[in-house]
Structures are given as structure tokens and as C-alpha cells.
Amino acid sequence: MNNSAKILFVLAAGWLTTTAFAQDRIHYTGKELSNPAYHDGQLSPVVGVHNIQLVRANREHPDASNGNGWTYNHQPMLAYWNGQFFYQYLADPSDEHVPPSQTFLMTSKDGYHWTNPEIVFPPYKVPDGYTKESRPGVQAKDLIAIMHQRVGFYVSKSGKLITMGNYGVALDKKDDPNDGNGIGRVVREIKKDGSFGPIYFIYYNHGFNEKNTDYPYFKKSKDREFVKACQEILDNPLYMMQWVEEADREDPIIPLKKGYKAFNCYTLPDGRIASLWKHALTSISEDGGHTWAEPVLRAKGFVNSNAKIWGQRLSDGTYATVYNPSEFRWPLAISLSKDGLEYKTLNLVHGEITPMRYGGNYKSYGPQYPRGIQEGNGIPADGDLWVSYSVNKEDMWISRIPVPVEINASAHADDDFSNNKSIAELTDWNIYSPVWAPVSLEGQWLKLQDKDPFDYAKVERKIPASKELKVSFDLQAGQNDKGILQIEFLDENGIACSRMELTDNGIFRMKGGSRFANMMKYEAGKVYHVEAVLSTADRNIQVYVDGKRVGLRMFYAPVAAIERIVFRTGTPRTFPTVDTPADQTYDLPNAGAQDSLAGYGIANVKTSST
């Protein structure tokens, strides 16, 4: 073999080795990519995703429902135990890494109706005189610790639910509370009656022990099963991997002592453990998490920046990853896999970005930091994928994604809502339901209400892609002097070709280019039967109300086919953009105000391809 042949052989062997290495790790082979110039990434949504807002921050009007007015809310965790959901998140008054800081807990039996946030780990005072080598000359004085944890729950072998947090220290707003120099990790039991057990330390960082901290060590508890549960956590390498950032840097209990952030893992069909970190870093463990294959590299084909990525085995045996597939923290998307390694699809979960009402340190725009239910921490009764996340590090959300996950509509709409007992049954409809703009089901009516000046209610029906489409529905407005309802027809990339809308001065009109054509006046409380006939070939829409044609208009954007119908109580948003500065330091005017309530109902939605 001559030298050229040898070189080619070595290169080929290296390529084959690299390819085989990549294929044995989590990787993406799909063709779909996200376009961050659009909040939804121009991704087609998964069928039946319900986006539910749990907490809407409000500094001007603090109460129990909004965490008493704290406006930095972030980093949620989720568990399902004793027939209900448990949702934990962190909060600071206004800024990330700026004290005081605490951890809240909420619960829900159905995922749609939630208790008010309750403090589970209160603010903790840092000892005066505390220092860090990384901040020479800076000493703590009347300083409160920063809550920072990447894992929030553990269900023990005996069935106890343990919640956990970590008290880190930030000496200034640019200091890191997860640099291994904090105070320690705390735990407490959540009991079946909803009460909490005492707080204990389960882990001390260097310089701290039972003598100079405010809570006892867990082994002091007289509850033997609680002590056993804590020891199970300490003996579990997959939990220790989630402690990496906050633990002492060289602590021998940490399996892989590298600075990778936000560890997440799931079990593959062959029993191995696949892992994910920020930046879509990935590895494999063949011994239950005690050791990990190196080098740790980016998951080939995945697009993900410095934000969390969540991976999970679903109840039907398939796998999903949920993350921001861009260098920005939008949109929130899902990718699917049959074997947990090769991911082939990319679809939308949450593509809305509300205005950031309250600026602050390190507050990022978009739906971010997704976390589902970790293996061992419960399976919801419906078997669906539930994912917690924050929007703008300000408002707390959860998404329900039906399993099996469907990315295409199997049939046209023929929806009589009187046949449904609850909104949870509307698994063919995508729902976006903020606290102040809720979506609800009332008899035959799917109701959209709105008193939020910064957000809107939205429902969306995905249908088979149609070039010639007929749509009919009943429509009722609760008023005709305030509010707005827009009805749009979208293609697979979220491009609207046509729009109808009820205005706040009693007009039902239709958009054509940059102008609108009035179709008719509408009355509050009156039920109208609306029909629309759309043709992508002729690029027009004809509208009939109660059997009478009221409008004919050209599409204002050409599309190849229509796959979605949207009802929304507001106008589309374009801010932030890819050129918007990362940090918002200002609050919006009247950030805590609300509008007068407007409400709309839709019923008997039918579609067909003509």
C-alpha cells in the first residue's frame, strides 16, 4: 500500500469511527430547522398541545397567586405523585442572582387548575464575613443566599416524596451561585396531606457543617424512612450528576467532574443511560450513571445554545427531546425518536413570546428551561408528556403534549364541543391559555376571554393540508365595544394567508394586503354562523354569515396549502427579534395593569377539502 492509499485508509477509518460514535449517541437526522426570525421558528405544531400559564408575575398588585409580587420566576421542576402534579420553581424579587431568593411549590390534580405558590424553601442568611477566592476583598454582610438547583424531586423506594433545593451564594449580580462555593443542599418531605416536613441539609459545601448552618443534618431526623430516602439520593449517581454545578468541584460523590450544566438523562431500550446537558452535549453510561463515555460532544445535528434541553422516554416507549432549537431561547420545540438515539422530527410546542413586563439581570426572552418528569418521579394518569418551563424568566407555564405524539392531523374538524366534559379532552385543538386570557369549555362553547394588555388567548385547529378549503363555525361575542378576535388561516410554516376579525367598534372585517374591508356589523350576545371558502389556486376567500355572502377578498400572502385555523384575542407579535439586545433593563409602563374583560365563544367547527 503506497503512502496516499495509507492516508486515505486512515481518513476513511477515522470517518467510520466518528460516524459510528455519533450514531451511538443522541443525534438528529431530520431535515427540519427552526428560523429564529419568527417566534414559532416557522415550525408546524404538534397536534393537541395545551400551553397553560400557572403564574403571571405582577409587582404592582402582589398577592398569593403571583408569589407576592416577585417578578424573577424561573427554573421549574415537575413530579407526579399521589395522584397530582407537583411544580417547583425559583423566585427573586426582580433579578437573577440578586437576593433575596426562595423556592415555591404548586400542586394540581389535572394540570389545568393549580394551587397558589407556597414557599417550600425560604430565604436563608449567608454568614457575615463569608468570602470567595473568585471575589477577593468582598465579604458578605447582611446577605441572603440564592436558590439554585437543577433537580427538585425524588420519590423514594418506600414511596416518600422528597423535594430539594440548594442555597448558593452570589456576592454581586455577576457572581455565580452554582460555582461550588455555596452553603449546601436542603431537603424536606412533602406529605400526602399536603403538609411539609422539617428542612434538613443533605449536603454541605466546604466550610459549612451542622454547627454553622440553620438546619440540622438529615441523619438527625427521627423518621427512619426519611433518612433512608435521603441516603438513596446520595447513593444514586444520576442525582449526583445533577448536583455537579453546586457541589464542591472535586467531591468524590460526583461521577463526572466536568463543568457541563443542567444534566438530564433517560434509559435506552438496552438499559444504558443517555444524557443531555446545555448546548446539547451528550454521553452514554453503561453502568447506571457511575461512569460516562468520553469525550462528551454535542449531539450531532442538534441546534441548541446555553439553555436547558429535556429528554424523556414516553409512556408508549418512544422518546422525545424538548428544547430551544436555536441560538435564542425561542421557540420551544419537540423532536421525536423511536430508539432514544436517532431523532428525526422537529415541531412546535410553544411559539409565543409575551412582552417582558419587568426587566432584570440575566432575564432572557422566550419559553425556556423545559423540565418534564424525571424517571422514577411518577407517570401522569393520562400518560401524556407534561413539560414545565418559564417565559421571559417571569411567568411560569406548563405544556401537555398528548402521547402518542402526533405531528400531522389525521382528519378534518367536525367538532361539537358539547360532547366534551372538559377542556382536557380537546386533544385535536392546540390551546394557549394565560392566567388573564383563559381558554375554557362551557357547554357547546369553546370560550376565549381576555383582560391582559400584554397577552391573548389562542386556540388552533390543525387540519390536513388543503388547497381548497371550506370552514364553518358558530361565533358569539360577549361585547362589541372592546376587545378583538382574529381568525386566521395558516400554512405549515405559520404563514397566514387571510384574516377575519371582530373589532372593538362592532365591525366584522377582513384583511386584504395592508387594508381592511368591512363585511358587516355584529351585535353583542348574538350567535352568527360563519362559513369561509378558501382557494390557494385563486388566492381568495369568500365569507358567508348566516347564509349570506358578506365578503370576497384576495389572500394577503400566498400559500401552497392551509393546515391550521387560529382564533386569537389579539394581534401577532414580532418583538423581540434576532437583533434585540439580550438584556432588558427597563420595566414596561403599567406593567401590572389589566384591561376590561372581553369574551368570545366558538362552536360547531367543521372543515372539509372542496
Side-chain angles (χ1 to χ4, degrees):
M1 183 182 294
N2 59 36
N3 288 337
S4 296
K6 288 180 180 179
I7 292 172
L8 289 174
F9 177 80
V10 170
L11 290 174
W15 180 85
L16 289 171
T17 300
T18 302
T19 301
F21 177 84
Q23 290 178 342
D24 196 47
R25 300 280 183 94
I26 293 172
H27 59 289
Y28 177 68
T29 59
K31 304 300 181 183
E32 195 72 40
L33 296 173
S34 174
N35 180 358
Y38 295 82
H39 291 176
D40 64 2
Q42 291 194 303
L43 298 176
S44 180
V46 167
V47 175
V49 176
H50 292 182
N51 305 131
I52 309 297
Q53 188 183 64
L54 281 60
V55 175
R56 185 189 188 280
N58 193 327
R59 183 179 301 146
E60 290 79 4
H61 302 284
D63 60 31
S65 72
N66 57 41
N68 292 317
W70 288 24
T71 59
Y72 169 81
N73 303 299
H74 193 40
Q75 196 155 269
M77 310 289 173
L78 197 60
Y80 187 83
W81 177 80
N82 194 34
Q84 60 182 340
F85 292 94
F86 292 80
Y87 188 111
Q88 184 208 81
Y89 69 95
L90 311 182
D92 299 351
S94 60
D95 301 88
E96 182 169 285
H97 299 175
V98 178
S101 183
Q102 59 192 342
T103 299
F104 284 109
L105 182 78
M106 307 175 71
T107 64
S108 172
K109 293 187 180 298
D110 63 2
Y112 293 84
H113 305 90
W114 290 81
T115 61
N116 289 331
E118 187 173 0
I119 298 171
V120 66
F121 294 117
Y124 185 100
K125 187 178 184 305
V126 179
D128 289 343
Y130 169 95
T131 61
K132 287 185 181 183
E133 289 186 7
S134 60
R135 291 291 190 275
V138 181
Q139 291 189 354
K141 176 65 176 175
D142 298 325
L143 183 67
I144 303 298
I146 297 294
M147 297 302 307
H148 191 287
Q149 57 257 14
R150 301 298 197 191
V151 58
F153 297 102
Y154 175 75
V155 177
S156 74
K157 295 176 182 178
S158 65
K160 285 184 177 290
L161 177 62
I162 308 297
T163 186
M164 63 193 77
N166 187 83
Y167 288 115
V169 179
L171 291 172
D172 56 59
K173 68 178 185 179
K174 297 302 180 184
D175 194 12
D176 294 322
N178 57 332
D179 60 359
N181 294 304
I183 295 168
R185 194 171 301 268
V186 286
V187 291
R188 70 189 310 183
E189 181 181 358
I190 301 173
K191 300 184 179 181
K192 289 186 176 181
D193 64 3
S195 63
F196 303 137
I199 299 174
Y200 294 89
F201 273 98
I202 190 173
Y203 179 89
Y204 296 109
N205 285 91
H206 56 271
F208 290 97
N209 53 58
E210 194 170 2
K211 294 181 180 180
N212 61 0
T213 50
D214 294 347
Y215 303 123
Y217 191 48
F218 77 94
K219 290 186 177 180
K220 295 292 185 179
S221 171
K222 295 180 179 180
D223 184 339
R224 292 184 178 180
E225 290 302 322
F226 174 77
V227 174
K228 283 183 181 179
C230 292
Q231 192 59 52
E232 288 171 18
I233 297 171
L234 289 166
D235 293 339
N236 189 327
L238 299 180
Y239 271 77
M240 297 306 98
M241 288 293 293
Q242 296 172 92
W243 289 14
V244 170
E245 296 172 60
E246 298 96 356
D248 290 353
R249 284 295 181 256
E250 298 302 319
D251 195 314
I253 68 171
I254 305 299
L256 183 63
K257 301 174 184 63
K258 297 293 178 67
Y260 312 135
K261 295 184 176 183
F263 174 87
N264 161 233
C265 69
Y266 54 76
T267 304
L268 296 170
D270 60 8
R272 295 182 299 161
I273 306 295
S275 64
L276 288 161
W277 291 269
K278 284 186 176 185
H279 300 284
L281 297 175
T282 184
S283 185
I284 294 285
S285 175
E286 298 187 359
D287 58 9
H290 292 281
T291 60
W292 294 87
E294 296 190 78
V296 172
L297 300 173
R298 283 182 181 267
K300 189 174 179 62
F302 272 75
V303 178
N304 180 245
S305 187
N306 186 33
K308 285 184 179 179
I309 179 169
W310 174 256
Q312 182 178 328
R313 186 175 187 176
L314 306 181
S315 60
D316 65 353
T318 62
Y319 294 81
T321 50
V322 180
Y323 61 104
N324 303 122
S326 74
E327 294 300 308
F328 303 85
R329 292 189 174 180
W330 71 79
L332 192 63
I334 185 171
S335 186
L336 303 174
S337 171
K338 292 182 178 180
D339 63 4
L341 293 177
E342 182 183 14
Y343 286 83
K344 298 181 178 181
T345 64
L346 189 64
N347 290 86
L348 183 66
V349 171
H350 185 123
E352 299 287 344
I353 307 178
T354 57
M356 185 183 291
R357 302 184 301 280
Y358 304 98
N361 190 50
Y362 290 136
K363 289 187 72 175
S364 305
Y365 298 106
Q368 56 194 280
Y369 267 46
R371 276 293 180 263
I373 299 175
Q374 184 173 329
E375 287 183 6
N377 286 347
I379 299 174
D382 56 22
D384 290 337
L385 171 59
W386 291 79
V387 180
S388 61
Y389 52 98
S390 76
V391 173
N392 298 343
K393 298 189 180 182
E394 184 164 281
D395 302 323
M396 305 311 299
W397 287 77
I398 195 167
S399 285
R400 176 200 176 196
I401 305 167
V403 175
V405 181
E406 301 290 346
I407 61 176
N408 296 306
S410 58
H412 274 283
D414 187 8
D415 299 328
D416 178 356
F417 300 127
S418 64
N419 295 325
N420 301 109
K421 295 180 180 179
S422 72
I423 198 170
E425 295 182 2
L426 300 185
T427 53
D428 289 326
W429 283 81
N430 290 45
I431 292 170
Y432 177 80
S433 182
V435 170
W436 282 5
V439 177
S440 61
L441 189 62
E442 299 179 19
Q444 68 171 328
W445 294 101
L446 184 57
K447 293 277 193 176
L448 288 76
Q449 296 178 293
D450 191 351
K451 60 180 181 180
D452 195 327
F454 301 99
D455 211 348
Y456 45 64
K458 185 176 81 169
V459 296
E460 191 169 20
R461 184 58 157 86
K462 198 168 181 179
I463 60 174
S466 303
K467 293 182 178 296
E468 307 292 323
L469 178 66
K470 182 177 180 179
V471 181
S472 66
F473 53 89
D474 293 332
L475 179 63
Q476 182 184 51
Q479 66 293 306
N480 64 358
D481 58 351
K482 57 178 175 288
I484 183 175
L485 179 71
Q486 294 190 337
I487 304 157
E488 288 188 334
F489 304 92
L490 281 61
D491 73 355
E492 64 177 347
N493 298 123
I495 297 173
C497 64
S498 183
R499 179 193 299 165
M500 302 183 289
E501 66 180 30
L502 301 181
T503 71
D504 59 2
N505 58 356
I507 301 297
F508 188 26
R509 66 182 189 176
M510 183 164 44
K511 181 175 173 61
S514 59
R515 300 185 186 277
F516 286 87
N518 293 345
M519 294 189 289
M520 58 177 282
K521 293 183 178 180
Y522 72 92
E523 298 177 20
K526 186 175 180 178
V527 177
Y528 297 94
H529 182 70
V530 180
E531 295 183 10
V533 180
L534 300 97
S535 170
T536 61
D538 296 337
R539 291 191 300 109
N540 67 23
I541 177 174
Q542 300 179 66
V543 180
Y544 300 80
V545 177
D546 295 335
K548 178 183 178 181
R549 195 173 91 165
V550 296
L552 169 64
R553 201 73 168 171
M554 297 297 291
F555 288 176
Y556 67 84
V559 295
I562 299 166
E563 76 153 30
R564 286 182 261 168
I565 303 152
V566 171
F567 298 82
R568 181 182 56 228
T569 62
T571 58
R573 296 180 285 239
T574 57
F575 181 90
T577 72
V578 293
D579 296 312
T580 300
D583 300 310
Q584 179 178 314
T585 58
Y586 56 88
D587 296 346
L588 297 184
N590 302 313
Q594 65 179 228
D595 288 337
S596 298
L597 183 66
Y600 306 88
I602 59 174
N604 301 312
V605 180
K606 300 181 187 296
T607 66
S608 62
S609 296
T610 59

